[in-house]
């Protein structure tokens, strides 16, 4: 159980393109989803926390207008990288929990397999 | 600065040997988790240890927690080539809402 599907797994596109990444919880209702960015051989950097039905909470230094997050249903959150540039190239990973992140501390997260984004 | 920091950064061992990875953190926690990441994949939750627990086992995994030293260790016994992966500890931080902070990770390579 607790499967999270992330799509697409690879994206290669030209600079200036907007890219949408989907994160779906397949067998549970994900009230909270997290979006991370990971550089090679480094740790995960939390970009934003997304609670279903409310606006995402972005981490300091993450541009809200650059990384649009929508969590419109209990099983789907999307991250759109708008007008992507080469410096946005990275590995993006989503995760989900069944509990609202604002209430419960550090619940086990269920991760998607990530999306490798390459901007030319 | 990172809440969790692992050492060593990289570890190479022979199959059958035990692998020990350590994690240190700075502020008080409610619990600490360990995750595993295969190359180019998402993370898989391995084990959660609460702040009032000192040791926890799950199969070949043994996790200890020393809150006085703000440190945790992950021991993998009788390692296998399939254990090759990066291992991260994760702690919580309450900044108006809980969020999980991941350490830098230990890259484990188990040679067959």
């Amino acid at each position: 159980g607790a499967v999270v599907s992330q799509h697409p797994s690879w994206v290669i596109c030209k600079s200036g393109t907007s890219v949408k990444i989907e994160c779906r919880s397949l067998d549970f209702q994900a009230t909270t989803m997290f979006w991370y960015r990971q550089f090679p051989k480094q740790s995960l950097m939390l970009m934003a926390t997304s609670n279903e039905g409310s606006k995402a909470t972005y981490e300091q230094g993450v541009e809200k207008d650059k990384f649009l997050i929508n969590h419109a249903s209990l099983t789907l959150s999307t991250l759109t990288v708008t007008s992507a540039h080469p410096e946005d190239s990275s590995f993006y990973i989503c995760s989900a929990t069944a509990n609202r992140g604002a209430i419960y501390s550090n619940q086990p997260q269920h991760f998607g397999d990530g999306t490798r984004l390459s901007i030319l | 600065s990172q809440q969790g920091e692992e050492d060593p950064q990289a570890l190479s061992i022979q199959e059958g040997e035990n692998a020990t990875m350590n994690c240190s953190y700075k502020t008080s926690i409610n619990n600490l988790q360990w995750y595993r990441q295969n190359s180019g994949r998402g993370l898989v939750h391995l084990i959660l240890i609460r702040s009032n627990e000192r040791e926890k086992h799950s199969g070949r995994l043994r996790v200890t927690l020393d809150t006085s030293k703000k440190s945790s260790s992950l021991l993998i016994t009788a390692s296998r080539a399939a254990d090759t992966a990066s291992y991260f500890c994760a702690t919580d931080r309450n900044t108006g809402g809980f969020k999980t902070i991941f350490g830098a990770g230990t890259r484990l390579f188990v040679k067959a």
Side-chain angles (χ1 to χ4, degrees), chain B:
Chain B
S1 60
Q2 289 184 136
Q3 172 74 322
E5 297 184 5
E6 286 93 333
D7 75 86
Q9 291 185 341
L11 181 60
S12 181
I13 59 174
Q14 288 292 138
E15 204 167 31
E17 293 180 341
N18 295 341
T20 300
M21 290 159 270
N22 303 297
C23 168
S24 61
Y25 55 92
K26 294 181 171 63
T27 62
S28 61
I29 60 172
N30 293 313
N31 60 56
L32 184 145
Q33 300 178 54
W34 284 91
Y35 287 83
R36 165 198 168 120
Q37 183 182 32
N38 285 3
S39 181
R41 305 292 296 275
L43 277 68
V44 175
H45 182 259
L46 295 177
I47 199 164
L48 180 152
I49 186 166
R50 301 192 188 284
S51 59
N52 61 355
E53 297 177 307
R54 292 296 166 260
E55 188 172 313
K56 205 162 185 179
H57 296 255
S58 176
R60 292 184 298 113
L61 305 180
R62 173 177 165 248
V63 169
T64 62
L65 179 65
D66 187 336
T67 53
S68 66
K69 295 180 180 178
K70 292 186 168 59
S71 68
S72 174
S73 68
L74 170 67
L75 168 67
I76 303 175
T77 60
S79 64
R80 305 166 183 168
D83 294 328
T84 295
S86 291
Y87 293 83
F88 295 90
C89 69
T91 55
D92 59 353
R93 181 180 296 169
N94 187 357
T95 55
F98 285 104
K99 62 182 182 184
T100 301
I101 307 297
F102 288 87
T106 293
R107 288 185 291 127
L108 174 65
F109 181 64
V110 181
K111 293 177 280 187

Side-chain angles (χ1 to χ4, degrees), chain A residues 34 36 38 41-44 46 49 59 91 93 101-114 116, chain B residues 2 30-33 35 37 40-45 48 88 90-92 97-100 102-105 107:
Chain A
F34 302 91
Y36 294 89
Q38 186 179 32
K41 298 181 182 179
Q42 293 190 26
S43 187
L44 280 72
L46 180 65
T49 302
E59 295 300 302
F91 190 56
I93 311 176
I103 300 174
Y104 297 96
S105 75
N106 203 16
Q107 296 298 299
Q109 296 177 35
H110 308 289
F111 284 83
D113 272 344
R116 187 159 305 282
Chain B
Q2 289 184 136
N30 293 313
N31 60 56
L32 184 145
Q33 300 178 54
Y35 287 83
Q37 183 182 32
R41 305 292 296 275
L43 277 68
V44 175
H45 182 259
L48 180 152
F88 295 90
T91 55
D92 59 353
F98 285 104
K99 62 182 182 184
T100 301
F102 288 87
R107 288 185 291 127

